[in-house]
């Protein structure tokens, strides 16, 4: 009997140390309102790269975790990829169900064909990411499309241009369809009620996808509370029911969960509840998908980059403009990467560079702050993820001295704003 006890203790120790994974824990109704409880995480729950204690998280009754796994922006995507691979493995070893979400940006174009091509390209990134982690198992929830902004051009933190409702809807419909066709699972859509109403067309097509809705300041422990309702009238979107409630699957009810309680190093964590019981939850995990060779991430794939247009002569008051197009060997646009100007003379400043993504694989590069002189160098397409190989395009342009601009009066300094408590009115379980 003593030997059996020692053996059982050893097995439990191995599980705790993530050496042995015995499969998912039984579902429990540990969340507010006696619901299945979950969290979602991103880099903000990994300050300084600190790991997450998923065993501690599981002991609170949490049973699912949605991990930021990809992003439209290259630098954010690289970090999301790193943490997805680490966190999915650790969370599943602790017995939790996992999913990942893709934070999406719409391209800066009004051309229908380019919007469709961009959505397909961004869907390809998600398929490759799924391929990297081995596809779907029955411990995985479907991928989620995090679509909460229609800003397509942002300068100095301020949005200068927005995509129309028709273009947002076309992009989302294409992306969702591509993921569904490949994985045979319906992906989630994550957003908040006002965006769903104002930026996306109402459609039965969207309503078939499970909704992960963000609505704070409403306690899910109260049976009569529902996410995303107005005090008067309805939010009208694809998931609105006749009584103005939303037909949701997951409700993100707080961004202010107590981080230490759930095993994360950050002070805050997003909290979620599942709308339904075990049968509905398990239905989302059905259908294993294993990647084929074509679904795996390439490495340093040959890239063909073309300089579609470039400045030949500007003044010091102007911006040098370059439009770059980059494609893969099969003729489709590259999935990741960006562009930059590199001066051949390393002693000369290469100016202030701004990159605008007009579509996947197409960028407008604007370079300002250049001094007068002749510039010889190249515009480079580069990909930090090493998915696609770099490509360079030689450039030569002249910068002449422009008139000295009239100095603008210094603005009156305003007192620093008082700190805002972003958790005011939120649920803090």
């Amino acid at each position: 009997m003593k030997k059996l006890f020692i053996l059982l203790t050893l097995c439990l120790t191995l599980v705790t140390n993530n050496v042995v994974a015995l499969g998912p824990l039984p579902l429990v109704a540990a969340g507010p309102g006696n619901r299945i409880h979950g969290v979602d995480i991103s880099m903000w729950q990994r300050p300084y790269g600190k790991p997450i204690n998923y065993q501690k998280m599981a002991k609170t009754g949490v049973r699912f975790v949605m991990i930021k796994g990809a992003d439209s922006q290259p630098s954010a995507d690289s970090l999301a990829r790193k943490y997805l691979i680490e966190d999915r493995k650790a969370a599943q070893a602790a017995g939790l169900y996992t999913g990942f979400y893709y934070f999406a940006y719409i391209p800066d174009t009004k051309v229908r064909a380019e919007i469709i091509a961009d959505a397909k390209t961004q869907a390809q990134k998600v398929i490759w990411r799924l391929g990297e982690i081995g596809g779907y198992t029955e411990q995985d929830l479907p991928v989620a499309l995090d679509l909460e902004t229609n800003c397509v051009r942002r300068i100095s933190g301020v949005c200068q241009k927005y995509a129309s409702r028709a273009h947002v809807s076309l992009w989302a419909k294409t992306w969702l369809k591509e993921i569904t066709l490949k994985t045979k699972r319906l992906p989630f859509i994550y957003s908040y009620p006002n965006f769903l109403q104002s930026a996306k067309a109402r459609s039965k097509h969207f309503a078939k996808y499970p909704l992960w809705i963000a609505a704070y300041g409403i306690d899910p422990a109260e049976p009569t509370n529902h996410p995303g309702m107005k005090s008067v009238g309805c939010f009208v979107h694809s998931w609105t029911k006749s009584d103005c409630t939303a037909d949701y699957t997951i409700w993100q009810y707080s961004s202010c969960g107590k981080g230490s309680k759930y095993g994360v190093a950050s002070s805050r964590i997003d909290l979620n509840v599942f709308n339904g019981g075990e049968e509905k939850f398990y239905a989302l995990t059905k259908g294993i998908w294993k990647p084929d060779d074509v679904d795996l991430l390439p490495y340093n794939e040959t890239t063909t980059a073309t300089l579609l247009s470039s400045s030949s002569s500007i003044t010091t008051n102007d911006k040098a403009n370059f439009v770059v197009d980059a494609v893969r060997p099969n003729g489709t646009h590259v999935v990741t990467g960006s562009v930059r100007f590199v001066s051949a003379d390393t002693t000369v400043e290469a100016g202030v560079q701004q990159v605008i993504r007009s579509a996947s694989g197409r960028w407008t590069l604007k370079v300002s702050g250049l001094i007068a002189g002749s510039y010889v160098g190249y515009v480079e397409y580069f990909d930090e993820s090493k998915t696609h190989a770099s490509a360079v395009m030689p450039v030569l342009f002249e910068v002449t001295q422009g008139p000295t601009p009239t100095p603008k009066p210094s603005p009156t300094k305003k007192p620093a704003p008082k700190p805002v408590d972003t958790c005011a009115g939120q649920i803090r379980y």
Side-chain angles (χ1 to χ4, degrees):
M1 192 71 177
K2 185 177 180 181
K3 289 182 178 179
L4 178 60
F5 176 78
I6 293 171
L7 181 60
L8 288 172
T9 303
L10 177 61
C11 288
L12 287 171
T13 302
L14 290 173
V15 172
T16 303
N17 292 327
N18 292 342
V19 177
V20 177
L22 299 180
L25 294 168
L27 295 177
V28 291
N34 296 317
R35 310 185 201 209
I36 299 168
H37 208 202
V39 301
D40 60 274
I41 62 169
S42 66
M43 59 174 282
W44 303 111
Q45 280 66 55
R46 298 286 304 266
Y48 307 104
K50 292 182 179 179
I52 294 173
N53 186 337
Y54 287 103
Q55 284 77 26
K56 183 175 182 179
M57 185 182 289
K59 287 177 181 177
T60 68
V62 164
R63 286 298 178 266
F64 68 93
V65 53
M66 301 297 286
I67 305 163
K68 182 175 181 180
D71 193 289
S72 295
Q73 304 296 326
S75 57
D77 185 68
S78 178
L79 195 57
R81 176 193 179 197
K82 167 183 166 61
Y83 289 151
L84 170 66
I85 294 170
E86 294 177 9
D87 286 318
R88 176 178 177 267
K89 181 179 179 180
Q92 290 196 356
L96 303 180
Y97 287 86
T98 62
F100 84 77
Y101 63 94
Y102 176 70
F103 194 94
Y105 291 94
I106 308 298
D108 186 2
T109 180
K110 295 182 179 180
V111 180
R112 179 181 175 86
E114 291 180 354
I115 293 169
I116 292 172
D118 182 87
K120 288 182 176 181
T121 299
Q122 294 199 48
Q124 178 65 70
K125 179 186 289 187
V126 173
I127 296 301
W128 281 345
R129 193 61 42 85
L130 271 173
E132 282 187 275
I133 61 175
Y136 281 142
T137 71
E138 291 197 345
Q139 204 169 332
D140 288 299
L141 293 166
V143 163
L145 171 62
D146 184 342
L147 187 56
E148 53 186 281
T149 178
N150 57 346
C151 180
V152 296
R153 187 181 302 172
R154 191 179 298 275
I155 300 174
S156 301
V158 179
C159 188
Q160 306 291 327
K161 183 181 177 183
Y162 293 90
S164 69
R165 177 184 292 180
H167 291 159
V168 172
S169 300
L170 174 62
W171 189 97
K173 181 178 180 181
T174 304
W175 189 98
L176 293 163
K177 182 180 178 181
E178 289 293 304
I179 299 297
T180 304
L181 286 173
K182 174 58 70 171
T183 66
K184 306 299 187 260
R185 284 198 196 180
L186 294 175
F188 284 98
I189 293 182
Y190 168 89
S191 200
Y192 57 96
N194 193 53
F195 185 85
L196 293 171
Q197 173 180 269
S198 63
K200 292 188 67 192
R202 192 178 183 190
S203 164
K204 290 182 178 180
H205 174 85
F206 289 127
K208 71 181 182 181
Y209 295 100
L211 175 64
W212 176 13
I213 190 169
Y216 305 151
I218 311 166
D219 192 345
E222 294 293 330
T224 56
N225 283 347
H226 298 277
M229 293 188 69
K230 294 181 177 180
S231 56
V232 178
C234 289
F235 281 109
V236 180
H237 53 71
S238 300
W239 294 267
T240 303
K241 297 191 290 186
S242 58
D243 61 356
C244 289
T245 61
D247 185 15
Y248 71 95
T249 301
I250 296 176
W251 173 6
Q252 186 187 75
Y253 66 90
S254 178
S255 65
C256 295
K258 299 173 183 177
S260 60
K261 174 182 177 180
Y262 297 97
V264 302
S266 60
S267 61
R268 294 165 49 174
I269 189 171
D270 294 342
L271 302 177
N272 302 267
V273 287
F274 185 77
N275 185 26
E278 292 184 10
E279 185 177 352
K280 184 178 178 181
F281 187 94
Y282 288 137
L284 291 171
T285 68
K286 298 301 180 186
I288 293 173
W289 177 73
K290 296 294 184 184
D292 296 324
D293 288 345
V294 71
D295 301 316
L296 299 178
L297 192 71
Y299 180 78
N300 260 3
E301 182 182 68
T302 302
T303 306
T304 301
T306 305
L307 197 60
L308 299 181
S309 65
S310 63
S311 297
S312 58
S313 179
I314 62 169
T315 74
T316 52
N317 299 329
D318 299 326
K319 296 178 181 179
N321 290 285
F322 308 94
V323 179
V324 178
D325 193 75
V327 297
R328 304 173 58 201
N330 64 3
T332 61
H333 280 93
V334 294
V335 175
T336 61
S338 188
V339 294
R340 60 191 171 200
F341 166 66
V342 180
S343 175
D345 186 349
T346 56
T347 64
V348 176
E349 292 289 335
V352 177
Q353 304 194 26
Q354 176 195 358
V355 179
I356 298 171
R357 186 179 67 91
S358 54
S360 284
R362 182 168 295 177
W363 300 268
T364 297
L365 171 64
K366 296 178 179 291
V367 186
S368 59
L370 297 168
I371 63 174
S374 297
Y375 284 80
V376 178
Y378 56 88
V379 172
E380 179 187 24
Y381 161 76
F382 67 99
D383 180 12
E384 293 178 349
S385 73
K386 304 297 183 184
T387 301
H388 311 293
S390 298
V392 298
M393 294 143 283
V395 294
L396 169 65
F397 59 97
E398 295 288 332
V399 179
T400 56
Q401 183 63 48
T404 303
T406 303
K408 296 180 180 179
S410 300
T412 303
K413 285 189 176 182
K414 297 181 180 179
K418 294 180 180 180
V420 176
D421 181 6
T422 55
C423 286
Q426 288 207 44
I427 310 300
R428 307 192 193 200
Y429 286 124

